[in-house]
Structure formats: C-alpha cells, structure tokens
Amino acid sequence: MLFAIICTYKPDGDLLRFPFRPKHLQYMIDALPFTFFGGPLLLEDDRRSTGLVVIVDLPDRDAAVKFITEEPYAQAGLFETIAVRRWRHMTEDVLHGELRGTQIAKSL
C-alpha cells in the first residue's frame, strides 16, 4: 500500500535539523527499498525547507506511522505536523482503467 507522509517543521525546524541530518539521511537511504519517492518541501526561494514529503510502499498504515515516528527528525521533535494518508499513483493505465467512462476520462 502506498502512503503519503507529509511533515512540516516547527518554527526554525529546518535550521535546528542539521545536527540530526546525518542520521536522517542514513534512515532515508535505508528506506529506499520501500520508498516510492520523497524530498524536502521548499519555500519559494529554494533556500529553506518547510518540511518533507515521502511516499512509501508499506503493508499498512501502522507500518507507515511506525516508519515516520522512528525517523530521526521526528525523534528530535522537529515536526509541527505529521500527516499519513493513503496515496494512489495516477498512471495512464489507472486513468484508462479505473476512470474509464467517467467525464474525466472523456475529457482527456
């Protein structure tokens, strides 16, 4: 099952994260086998991060919650919010399969 995990930092969390960054990067590298994609959420100037988003393929929501709660930035208390939501990768086969016959598919 795919899950979108969206985390936003507490005020100045992006600046406070640097001591934890090596552990964070290693954690994310270790998660590559079940990571669909991920990366930082940036301000318009691309100079500061407001959080992160990662899409993971895990057996269930409990596993996704466990994954993010054990993440080093989460362990350090840097996140103001954490959202874990089911996610669907919209591909051409989905658009022409599940949505076939709908007004959306007809307008494509």
Side-chain angles (χ1 to χ4, degrees), residues 1-3 5 23-40 53-58 67 71:
M1 295 180 151
L2 293 173
F3 293 90
I5 301 173
K23 287 183 181 180
H24 161 77
L25 292 174
Q26 186 60 57
Y27 191 81
M28 291 303 180
I29 289 167
D30 293 345
L32 285 174
F34 57 87
T35 300
F36 190 77
F37 72 83
V53 61
V54 62
I55 307 295
V56 293
D57 187 359
L58 290 167
F67 165 74
E71 193 280 332

Side-chain angles (χ1 to χ4, degrees), residues 5 7 27 61-77 79 82 84:
I5 301 173
C7 304
Y27 191 81
R61 188 176 193 285
D62 289 343
V65 169
K66 182 178 188 296
F67 165 74
I68 197 59
T69 58
E70 292 179 355
E71 193 280 332
Y73 290 169
Q75 290 285 304
F79 296 133
I82 297 173
V84 177

